[in-house]
Amino acid sequence: MVVLGLVLAILVGLSLGLMGGGGSILTVPIFVYVLGFETKQSIAMSLAVVGVVSLFRAWSHWRAGNVNLRIAGVFGVVAMAATFAGAKLSAFMSGTVQLLIFAVVMLAAAYFMFRGKRPGEARMAEGGEAPGRVRLGLIAMQAVAVGVLSGIVGVGGGFLIVPALVLLGKVPMKQAVGTSLLIISMNSVAGFAGYFGQVEVEWGFMALFTGVAVVGIILGSMAVKHVEQGALKRGFAIFLVIMAAWILYQNLAVLTGAAA
């Protein structure tokens, strides 16, 4: 199972390298259902993995000039506090409830992938800003929502962050993607800190999994020009729907049994 888990770590990295996102939403199921870790332990370690691989990917975007540090500071700092709070809040939830929320998040991510273009992409030029003022208050509110969700279920929330940056922050699409990766990394650090002391962390395996995922990012970044993005995202979305349905089935059965 460990070998299979490491093979899947490459897929996590490939997803991030090919699509700029999506890989983090695979990490928790891999830790729980393939590697057999407890739910809260899996979420905590997933946050650490997501933080490192997102920062690695954000570095390449920063070198290309596609990271808006001002927006990352506003969104990221607020989201970090909310992510830390979400991680602490998770102590009052069962692992089953967290996985049910996670499955809903997977369905939401699949919905955005099925739509093709991200929300707001068609309304903005690739390199320019849309008219109007940057709505920092709304950005902060979105950051709180994304942060709490990240802390509870251990995903980066890029499918929510990118639309917020485009529509509310008036950030061009390429910058929104790069900036979101930096924000995801910041959120993940805060979330992992929130879980620290609550769960036992398998540091050695977590580091190995992260290293393999980084290799996957490198491979995915090299292959991205040779893959049709629309078909890839639709296929990944279908996979997320299947996985989410299975997780919902498994955990609703647990809740039903507990209620009985």
Side-chain angles (χ1 to χ4, degrees):
M1 283 299 181
V2 172
V3 174
L4 177 59
L6 292 177
V7 171
L8 293 175
I10 295 179
L11 294 181
V12 169
L14 280 172
S15 174
L16 282 163
L18 288 169
M19 298 186 292
S24 60
I25 211 166
L26 298 176
T27 311
V28 171
I30 290 171
F31 277 134
V32 173
Y33 295 109
V34 177
L35 296 170
F37 291 109
E38 295 180 355
T39 300
K40 293 183 185 297
Q41 186 183 23
S42 299
I43 290 173
M45 292 194 295
S46 173
L47 285 165
V49 173
V50 169
V52 173
V53 296
S54 296
L55 184 61
F56 183 87
R57 186 67 173 144
W59 170 252
S60 62
H61 280 270
W62 180 78
R63 292 178 62 188
N66 292 327
V67 175
N68 187 318
L69 294 178
R70 175 174 172 267
I71 295 294
V74 174
F75 197 111
V77 171
V78 174
M80 286 179 74
T83 304
F84 185 84
K88 293 298 184 183
L89 179 64
S90 70
F92 302 98
M93 299 179 180
S94 68
T96 297
V97 170
Q98 285 176 277
L99 285 174
L100 287 172
I101 297 172
F102 183 85
V104 173
V105 171
M106 292 180 83
L107 291 174
Y111 168 75
F112 284 118
M113 287 185 176
F114 270 126
R115 287 185 59 171
K117 289 185 176 182
R118 293 181 174 93
E121 187 171 1
R123 294 168 54 184
M124 296 183 63
E126 183 67 27
E129 294 188 353
R133 298 178 59 185
V134 174
R135 292 173 259 183
L136 294 180
L138 290 176
I139 288 177
M141 291 173 60
Q142 184 90 357
V144 170
V146 170
V148 171
L149 186 64
S150 297
I152 291 175
V153 299
V155 298
F159 67 97
L160 295 174
I161 296 173
V162 172
L165 297 183
V166 171
L167 298 176
L168 304 179
K170 310 303 181 185
V171 178
M173 183 55 61
K174 283 187 177 180
Q175 277 196 14
V177 173
T179 305
S180 73
L181 286 165
L182 178 58
I183 293 170
I184 288 168
S185 183
M186 296 166 67
N187 286 355
S188 299
V189 169
F192 184 70
Y195 278 98
F196 198 73
Q198 295 186 44
V199 299
E200 181 180 349
V201 177
E202 296 288 344
W203 292 96
F205 180 78
M206 186 176 71
L208 179 60
F209 189 98
T210 303
V212 174
V214 168
V215 173
I217 288 181
I218 296 171
L219 295 175
S221 300
M222 293 168 59
V224 67
K225 294 181 180 179
H226 308 287
V227 178
E228 204 281 302
Q229 289 290 297
L232 179 66
K233 288 188 177 182
R234 287 190 293 272
F236 189 75
I238 292 171
F239 174 75
L240 289 183
V241 170
I242 294 171
M243 279 294 299
W246 189 78
I247 293 173
L248 285 170
Y249 172 78
Q250 291 286 322
N251 289 279
L252 283 173
V254 171
L255 280 183
T256 303

